Coordinates of all heavy atoms in Angstrom, one line a residue:
G16 N -39.0 -165.3 -91.4 CA -38.4 -165.8 -92.6 C -37.5 -167.0 -92.3 O -37.3 -167.4 -91.1
N17 N -37.0 -167.7 -93.4 CA -36.3 -168.9 -93.2 C -34.9 -168.8 -92.5 O -34.4 -169.8 -92.0 CB -36.0 -169.6 -94.6 CG -37.3 -170.0 -95.2 OD1 -38.2 -170.4 -94.6 ND2 -37.3 -170.0 -96.6
A18 N -34.4 -167.5 -92.4 CA -33.1 -167.4 -91.7 C -33.2 -167.5 -90.2 O -32.2 -167.6 -89.5 CB -32.5 -166.0 -92.1
F19 N -34.5 -167.4 -89.7 CA -34.7 -167.5 -88.3 C -34.8 -169.0 -87.9 O -35.8 -169.6 -88.0 CB -35.9 -166.8 -87.8 CG -35.7 -165.3 -87.7 CD1 -36.0 -164.5 -88.8 CD2 -35.3 -164.7 -86.5 CE1 -35.8 -163.1 -88.7 CE2 -35.2 -163.4 -86.4 CZ -35.4 -162.6 -87.5
K20 N -33.6 -169.6 -87.6 CA -33.6 -171.1 -87.3 C -33.6 -171.2 -85.8 O -33.0 -170.4 -85.1 CB -32.4 -171.7 -87.9 CG -32.2 -171.5 -89.4 CD -33.4 -172.2 -90.2 CE -33.2 -172.2 -91.7 NZ -34.2 -172.8 -92.4
G21 N -34.1 -172.4 -85.4 CA -34.0 -172.7 -83.9 C -34.9 -171.8 -83.1 O -35.9 -171.3 -83.5
R22 N -34.4 -171.5 -81.9 CA -35.1 -170.7 -81.0 C -35.0 -169.2 -81.3 O -34.0 -168.7 -81.6 CB -34.6 -170.9 -79.5 CG -35.6 -170.3 -78.4 CD -35.1 -170.8 -77.1 NE -33.9 -170.1 -76.7 CZ -34.0 -168.9 -75.9 NH1 -35.1 -168.5 -75.5 NH2 -32.9 -168.3 -75.6
V23 N -36.2 -168.5 -81.2 CA -36.2 -167.0 -81.5 C -36.9 -166.4 -80.3 O -38.0 -166.9 -79.8 CB -37.0 -166.7 -82.8 CG1 -37.1 -165.2 -82.9 CG2 -36.3 -167.3 -84.0
Q24 N -36.3 -165.3 -79.8 CA -36.9 -164.6 -78.7 C -37.6 -163.4 -79.2 O -37.1 -162.6 -80.0 CB -35.9 -164.1 -77.7 CG -36.4 -163.2 -76.5 CD -35.3 -162.9 -75.5 OE1 -34.6 -163.7 -75.0 NE2 -35.2 -161.6 -75.3
V25 N -38.9 -163.2 -78.9 CA -39.7 -162.1 -79.3 C -40.1 -161.2 -78.1 O -40.7 -161.7 -77.2 CB -41.0 -162.5 -80.1 CG1 -41.7 -161.3 -80.6 CG2 -40.6 -163.4 -81.2
D26 N -39.6 -160.0 -78.1 CA -40.0 -159.0 -77.0 C -41.0 -158.1 -77.5 O -41.0 -157.6 -78.6 CB -38.7 -158.2 -76.7 CG -37.6 -159.1 -76.1 OD1 -37.9 -160.1 -75.5 OD2 -36.4 -158.7 -76.4
L27 N -42.0 -157.8 -76.7 CA -43.0 -156.8 -76.9 C -42.7 -155.6 -76.0 O -42.6 -155.7 -74.8 CB -44.4 -157.4 -76.6 CG -45.6 -156.4 -76.7 CD1 -45.8 -156.0 -78.2 CD2 -46.9 -157.0 -76.2
L28 N -42.6 -154.4 -76.6 CA -42.3 -153.2 -75.9 C -43.4 -152.2 -76.2 O -44.0 -152.1 -77.2 CB -40.9 -152.6 -76.3 CG -39.7 -153.6 -76.3 CD1 -39.5 -154.2 -77.6 CD2 -38.5 -152.8 -75.8
D29 N -43.6 -151.3 -75.2 CA -44.5 -150.2 -75.4 C -43.8 -149.0 -76.1 O -42.6 -149.1 -76.5 CB -45.2 -149.8 -74.1 CG -44.2 -149.1 -73.1 OD1 -43.1 -148.8 -73.5 OD2 -44.6 -149.0 -71.9
A30 N -44.6 -148.0 -76.3 CA -44.0 -146.8 -77.1 C -42.9 -146.1 -76.5 O -42.1 -145.4 -77.1 CB -45.1 -145.8 -77.5
T31 N -42.7 -146.3 -75.2 CA -41.5 -145.7 -74.5 C -40.3 -146.6 -74.4 O -39.3 -146.2 -73.9 CB -41.9 -145.4 -73.0 OG1 -42.2 -146.6 -72.2 CG2 -43.2 -144.5 -73.0
G32 N -40.5 -147.9 -74.9 CA -39.4 -148.8 -74.9 C -39.4 -149.7 -73.7 O -38.4 -150.5 -73.6
R33 N -40.4 -149.7 -72.9 CA -40.5 -150.5 -71.7 C -40.9 -152.0 -72.2 O -41.9 -152.1 -72.9 CB -41.5 -150.0 -70.7 CG -41.7 -150.8 -69.5 CD -42.6 -150.1 -68.5 NE -43.9 -149.9 -69.0 CZ -44.9 -150.7 -68.8 NH1 -44.7 -151.8 -68.1 NH2 -46.1 -150.5 -69.3
L34 N -40.2 -153.0 -71.7 CA -40.5 -154.3 -72.0 C -41.8 -154.8 -71.3 O -41.9 -154.7 -70.1 CB -39.3 -155.2 -71.5 CG -39.5 -156.7 -71.8 CD1 -39.5 -157.0 -73.4 CD2 -38.3 -157.5 -71.2
I35 N -42.7 -155.3 -72.2 CA -44.0 -155.7 -71.6 C -44.0 -157.2 -71.4 O -44.4 -157.7 -70.3 CB -45.1 -155.4 -72.6 CG1 -45.2 -153.9 -72.9 CG2 -46.5 -155.9 -72.1 CD1 -45.4 -153.1 -71.7
R36 N -43.5 -158.0 -72.4 CA -43.4 -159.5 -72.2 C -42.5 -160.0 -73.2 O -42.1 -159.4 -74.3 CB -44.8 -160.1 -72.3 CG -45.5 -159.9 -73.7 CD -46.8 -160.7 -73.7 NE -47.7 -160.3 -72.6 CZ -48.7 -159.5 -72.7 NH1 -49.0 -159.0 -73.9 NH2 -49.5 -159.2 -71.7
T37 N -42.0 -161.3 -73.0 CA -41.1 -162.0 -73.9 C -41.7 -163.3 -74.2 O -42.2 -164.0 -73.3 CB -39.7 -162.1 -73.2 OG1 -39.1 -160.8 -73.1 CG2 -38.8 -163.0 -74.1
V38 N -41.6 -163.7 -75.5 CA -42.1 -165.0 -75.9 C -41.0 -165.7 -76.7 O -40.3 -165.1 -77.5 CB -43.4 -164.9 -76.8 CG1 -43.8 -166.3 -77.3 CG2 -44.5 -164.2 -76.0
N39 N -40.8 -167.0 -76.4 CA -39.8 -167.8 -77.2 C -40.5 -168.8 -78.0 O -41.6 -169.4 -77.6 CB -38.9 -168.5 -76.2 CG -38.0 -167.6 -75.4 OD1 -37.2 -166.9 -76.0 ND2 -38.2 -167.5 -74.1
R40 N -40.0 -169.1 -79.2 CA -40.6 -170.0 -80.1 C -39.6 -170.8 -80.9 O -38.4 -170.4 -81.0 CB -41.6 -169.3 -81.1 CG -40.8 -168.5 -82.1 CD -40.6 -169.2 -83.4 NE -39.4 -168.8 -84.0 CZ -38.9 -169.2 -85.2 NH1 -39.6 -170.2 -85.8 NH2 -37.8 -168.8 -85.7
R41 N -40.0 -172.0 -81.5 CA -39.2 -172.8 -82.3 C -39.9 -173.1 -83.6 O -39.5 -173.9 -84.4 CB -38.8 -174.1 -81.6 CG -37.8 -173.9 -80.5 CD -37.3 -175.2 -79.9 NE -36.3 -175.0 -78.9 CZ -35.0 -174.8 -79.1 NH1 -34.5 -174.9 -80.3 NH2 -34.2 -174.7 -78.1
S42 N -41.1 -172.5 -83.9 CA -41.8 -172.7 -85.1 C -41.6 -171.4 -86.0 O -40.9 -170.5 -85.6 CB -43.3 -172.9 -84.9 OG -43.9 -171.8 -84.2
D43 N -42.3 -171.4 -87.2 CA -42.2 -170.2 -88.0 C -43.1 -169.1 -87.7 O -43.2 -168.1 -88.4 CB -42.3 -170.6 -89.5 CG -43.6 -171.2 -89.8 OD1 -44.5 -171.4 -88.9 OD2 -43.9 -171.5 -91.0
T44 N -44.0 -169.3 -86.7 CA -44.9 -168.2 -86.2 C -45.0 -168.2 -84.7 O -44.7 -169.2 -84.1 CB -46.3 -168.4 -86.8 OG1 -46.9 -169.6 -86.3 CG2 -46.3 -168.3 -88.3
V45 N -45.4 -167.1 -84.2 CA -45.7 -167.0 -82.8 C -46.8 -166.0 -82.6 O -46.9 -165.0 -83.3 CB -44.4 -166.5 -82.0 CG1 -44.0 -165.1 -82.3 CG2 -44.7 -166.6 -80.5
T46 N -47.7 -166.3 -81.6 CA -48.8 -165.4 -81.4 C -48.5 -164.5 -80.2 O -48.1 -165.0 -79.1 CB -50.1 -166.2 -81.1 OG1 -50.4 -167.0 -82.3 CG2 -51.3 -165.3 -80.8
I47 N -48.8 -163.2 -80.3 CA -48.6 -162.3 -79.2 C -50.0 -161.8 -78.8 O -50.7 -161.2 -79.6 CB -47.7 -161.1 -79.7 CG1 -46.4 -161.6 -80.2 CG2 -47.5 -160.1 -78.5 CD1 -45.5 -162.3 -79.2
T48 N -50.3 -161.9 -77.5 CA -51.6 -161.5 -77.0 C -51.5 -160.0 -76.5 O -50.4 -159.6 -75.9 CB -52.1 -162.3 -75.9 OG1 -51.1 -162.4 -74.8 CG2 -52.3 -163.8 -76.4
G49 N -52.5 -159.2 -76.8 CA -52.5 -157.9 -76.3 C -53.8 -157.4 -75.8 O -54.1 -156.2 -75.6
N50 N -54.7 -158.4 -75.4 CA -56.1 -158.0 -75.0 C -56.0 -157.4 -73.6 O -57.1 -156.9 -73.1 CB -57.0 -159.2 -75.0 CG -56.4 -160.5 -74.4 OD1 -55.4 -160.4 -73.7 ND2 -57.1 -161.6 -74.7
D51 N -54.9 -157.5 -72.9 CA -54.8 -156.9 -71.6 C -54.1 -155.5 -71.6 O -53.8 -154.9 -70.6 CB -54.1 -157.8 -70.6 CG -52.6 -158.1 -71.1 OD1 -52.4 -158.1 -72.3 OD2 -51.8 -158.4 -70.3
L52 N -53.8 -155.0 -72.8 CA -53.0 -153.8 -73.0 C -53.9 -152.6 -73.4 O -54.9 -152.8 -74.1 CB -51.9 -154.0 -74.0 CG -50.9 -155.2 -73.8 CD1 -50.0 -155.3 -75.0 CD2 -50.1 -154.9 -72.5
P53 N -53.5 -151.4 -73.0 CA -54.2 -150.2 -73.5 C -54.0 -150.1 -75.0 O -53.0 -150.6 -75.6 CB -53.5 -149.1 -72.8 CG -52.8 -149.7 -71.6 CD -52.4 -151.1 -72.0
S54 N -55.0 -149.5 -75.7 CA -54.9 -149.3 -77.1 C -53.7 -148.4 -77.4 O -53.4 -147.5 -76.6 CB -56.1 -148.7 -77.7 OG -57.2 -149.5 -77.5
G55 N -53.0 -148.7 -78.5 CA -51.8 -147.8 -78.9 C -50.8 -148.6 -79.7 O -51.0 -149.7 -80.1
L56 N -49.7 -147.9 -79.9 CA -48.6 -148.4 -80.7 C -47.6 -149.2 -79.8 O -47.2 -148.7 -78.7 CB -47.8 -147.2 -81.3 CG -46.6 -147.5 -82.1 CD1 -47.0 -148.2 -83.4 CD2 -45.9 -146.2 -82.5
Y57 N -47.2 -150.3 -80.3 CA -46.2 -151.2 -79.6 C -45.1 -151.6 -80.6 O -45.3 -151.5 -81.8 CB -46.9 -152.4 -79.0 CG -47.8 -152.0 -77.8 CD1 -49.1 -151.6 -78.1 CD2 -47.4 -152.1 -76.5 CE1 -50.0 -151.3 -77.1 CE2 -48.2 -151.7 -75.5 CZ -49.5 -151.3 -75.7 OH -50.4 -150.9 -74.7
F58 N -44.1 -152.2 -80.1 CA -43.0 -152.7 -80.9 C -42.7 -154.1 -80.6 O -42.7 -154.5 -79.4 CB -41.7 -151.8 -80.7 CG -41.9 -150.4 -81.1 CD1 -42.4 -149.4 -80.2 CD2 -41.5 -150.0 -82.4 CE1 -42.6 -148.1 -80.6 CE2 -41.7 -148.6 -82.8 CZ -42.2 -147.7 -81.9
L59 N -42.3 -154.9 -81.7 CA -41.9 -156.2 -81.5 C -40.5 -156.4 -82.0 O -40.1 -155.8 -83.0 CB -42.8 -157.1 -82.4 CG -44.2 -157.3 -82.0 CD1 -45.1 -157.9 -83.1 CD2 -44.4 -158.1 -80.7
R60 N -39.7 -157.0 -81.2 CA -38.2 -157.2 -81.5 C -38.0 -158.7 -81.5 O -38.1 -159.4 -80.5 CB -37.4 -156.5 -80.4 CG -35.9 -156.7 -80.6 CD -35.1 -155.8 -79.6 NE -35.5 -156.2 -78.3 CZ -35.4 -155.4 -77.2 NH1 -34.9 -154.1 -77.4 NH2 -35.7 -155.8 -76.0
A61 N -37.5 -159.2 -82.6 CA -37.2 -160.6 -82.8 C -35.7 -160.8 -82.8 O -35.0 -160.2 -83.6 CB -37.9 -161.2 -84.1
V62 N -35.2 -161.7 -82.0 CA -33.8 -162.0 -81.9 C -33.5 -163.4 -82.1 O -34.0 -164.3 -81.3 CB -33.2 -161.5 -80.5 CG1 -31.7 -161.7 -80.4 CG2 -33.6 -160.1 -80.2
S63 N -32.8 -163.8 -83.1 CA -32.4 -165.2 -83.3 C -31.4 -165.6 -82.3 O -30.4 -164.9 -82.0 CB -31.8 -165.4 -84.7 OG -31.4 -166.7 -85.0

């Protein structure tokens, strides 16, 4: 959304809360790749 200005850190975590990877962006979208991950539930955490 528009409130996310400037740099945003996006963390990908597995179902146990373990950090898988971190991506930083300055646009209004970011792509997260998961083709190297086992199938299942994951969590995304966006921090302005």
Side-chain angles (χ1 to χ4, degrees):
N17 293 329
F19 283 89
K20 304 294 185 181
R22 194 172 73 95
V23 178
Q24 175 177 307
V25 181
D26 298 326
L27 177 67
L28 305 95
D29 66 14
T31 68
R33 180 173 62 93
L34 180 65
I35 303 298
R36 61 176 57 98
T37 295
V38 178
N39 293 296
R40 70 95 213 182
R41 290 184 179 274
S42 63
D43 59 357
T44 63
V45 65
T46 299
I47 305 294
T48 58
N50 49 13
D51 59 333
L52 300 175
S54 297
L56 177 68
Y57 293 84
F58 295 87
L59 293 166
R60 179 175 57 205
V62 182
S63 177

